[in-house]
Amino acid sequence: MKTAFEILKQANDEHFALGAFNCANIETLKAITQAAANLKAPVILEASDGEINYMGYEQMVSLKRIYEKQVGIPIILNLDHGKDFDSCKRAIEAGFDYVHLDGGKMEFEDNVAMATEVVKLAHEHGIPVEGEMDHIEGSSADHTTEDPKNLQNEKLFTDPDRAEEFVRRTGIDVFASFIGNLHGLYADQKHLKMDLLTKIKEKLPNTWLSLHGGSGTDSNDVVNAIKLGIVKVNVNSELRIAFKMTLQEVLNASDEIAVYKIMDKPIKEVQRVVEGKIKLFGTAGKAA
Ligand code: 13P
């Protein structure tokens, strides 16, 4: 099976983006891996500190390996928004394939120091590190009463020169850019600042770029961002909502108490969302 480094390189060379799908239960895991298998698409399966605390580090690693073997498609397991060195170390030592250190709320120098340490450890284990220096606003939830523009303060977006310094001093492999992307679903589709993405890529020609906040983002913007160099798009809220809403409908319509018997619909609905994203990101067939 290809490594995370090899798949990121393939995405960069062939201009597609890996969907990075959050997962905090076995149903979502099944939906993501089934979508990947159906479309022969490599995927990133990811979990934040909170999601992993629920699932378990070793459990996530074992499940990922079992499903990867079963479907025969590369599945990269990522720690999403690891909050500090210890969190990344825990994931690396448990067998994760990729870690994201979210230093977005740290002082720049502290973030540089911590990211440098994470890179050292991760590279000893042969896995890539994603770094973040601007706090990407929002949360993976339903904010559909809010206007996304209220959170899109351009003064807080990525400064390309600072991004160049951050990457040069830390040695991170993937940079999480803040170009108008927000976590969560809002009243309007989110739009991205393409000219800023172009400038970031010019400053970082040899660094892979990621896009957080993949839910509810204008599809044309996503496709154009991938053309400009985004190789990873994170998606969480749309999966959470698909799962919860469908489960709620099924529960309201059924007296069944053997819960495994009612999980088929929520799984299928999450799978449908994941397949749509995989097609949009141009990843279908890339594991063939
Ligand atoms: P969304 O919740 O907007 O899909 O963002 C997910 C994300 O970026 C996880 O890191």
Side-chain angles (χ1 to χ4, degrees):
M1 214 61 85
K2 280 186 179 166
T3 65
F5 276 112
E6 288 167 343
I7 298 171
L8 286 163
K9 184 177 180 313
Q10 183 193 355
N12 188 65
D13 293 349
E14 298 177 18
H15 305 291
F16 66 88
L18 293 154
F21 301 105
N22 286 74
C23 160
N25 60 16
I26 189 86
E27 290 77 19
T28 309
L29 202 157
K30 283 186 179 197
I32 296 166
T33 51
Q34 195 50 53
N38 275 359
L39 296 176
K40 301 211 175 342
V43 284
I44 297 178
L45 180 73
E46 64 181 18
S48 62
D49 286 311
E51 287 165 332
I52 301 175
N53 284 338
Y54 176 72
M55 291 290 280
Y57 286 82
E58 280 74 24
Q59 287 86 339
M60 281 294 282
V61 171
S62 297
L63 283 167
K64 171 248 111 128
R65 288 183 183 153
I66 291 164
Y67 277 88
E68 183 175 59
K69 198 168 168 208
Q70 198 175 59
V71 296
I73 300 281
I75 299 172
I76 299 166
L77 183 60
N78 171 34
L79 167 67
D80 182 37
H81 293 282
K83 64 179 184 312
D84 54 23
F85 177 79
D86 287 346
S87 159
C88 293
K89 182 170 183 275
R90 179 95 173 78
I92 292 167
E93 290 179 349
F96 277 56
D97 308 302
Y98 181 123
V99 286
H100 162 220
L101 171 69
D102 179 356
K105 284 188 176 164
M106 282 183 212
E107 290 298 328
F108 184 76
E109 288 301 327
D110 294 342
N111 192 3
V112 167
M114 194 177 282
T116 306
E117 287 302 302
V118 173
V119 167
K120 188 169 174 289
L121 184 67
H123 286 183
E124 279 166 16
H125 285 74
I127 70 167
V129 177
E130 177 173 333
E132 178 172 335
M133 62 171 208
D134 308 293
H135 176 59
I136 299 168
E137 296 283 349
S139 62
S140 289
D142 183 343
H143 302 282
T144 45
T145 54
E146 285 178 54
D147 185 338
K149 291 190 190 69
N150 293 339
L151 289 176
Q152 289 169 317
N153 178 357
E154 292 197 17
K155 289 197 189 97
L156 302 178
F157 288 2
T158 296
D159 171 343
D161 289 316
R162 225 165 146 71
E164 189 279 327
E165 180 186 347
F166 184 65
V167 171
R168 177 169 34 83
R169 289 179 59 195
T170 57
I172 56 161
D173 309 286
V174 183
F175 178 77
S177 32
F178 185 30
I179 53 169
N181 42 321
L182 304 169
H183 295 104
L185 277 175
Y186 294 82
D188 286 325
Q189 292 276 295
K190 295 172 269 186
H191 285 277
L192 307 173
K193 211 166 152 30
M194 293 303 168
D195 54 340
L196 178 56
L197 180 58
T198 304
K199 285 185 191 141
I200 297 169
K201 192 65 205 172
E202 276 166 12
K203 286 281 173 188
L204 295 173
N206 302 316
T207 304
W208 295 312
L209 302 180
S210 78
L211 184 75
H212 283 252
S215 296
T217 306
D218 180 81
S219 297
N220 285 327
D221 282 11
V222 172
V223 169
N224 287 330
I226 294 168
K227 283 187 192 145
L228 292 174
I230 292 289
V231 298
K232 166 177 173 277
V233 183
N234 289 32
V235 184
N236 194 356
S237 305
E238 284 189 46
L239 310 189
R240 285 180 167 180
I241 290 170
F243 182 76
K244 163 110 191 272
M245 295 305 192
T246 317
L247 181 59
Q248 207 152 29
E249 271 169 33
V250 175
L251 287 174
N252 288 343
S254 167
D255 293 329
E256 182 58 66
I257 61 158
V259 286
Y260 74 91
K261 292 185 181 168
I262 54 174
M263 287 303 174
D264 201 43
K265 270 195 173 176
I267 293 173
K268 288 264 154 48
E269 189 53 22
V270 175
Q271 186 182 327
R272 191 186 64 76
V273 176
V274 174
E275 288 185 3
K277 297 293 179 192
I278 286 174
K279 288 177 190 161
L280 181 69
F281 304 159
T283 329
K286 296 296 183 182

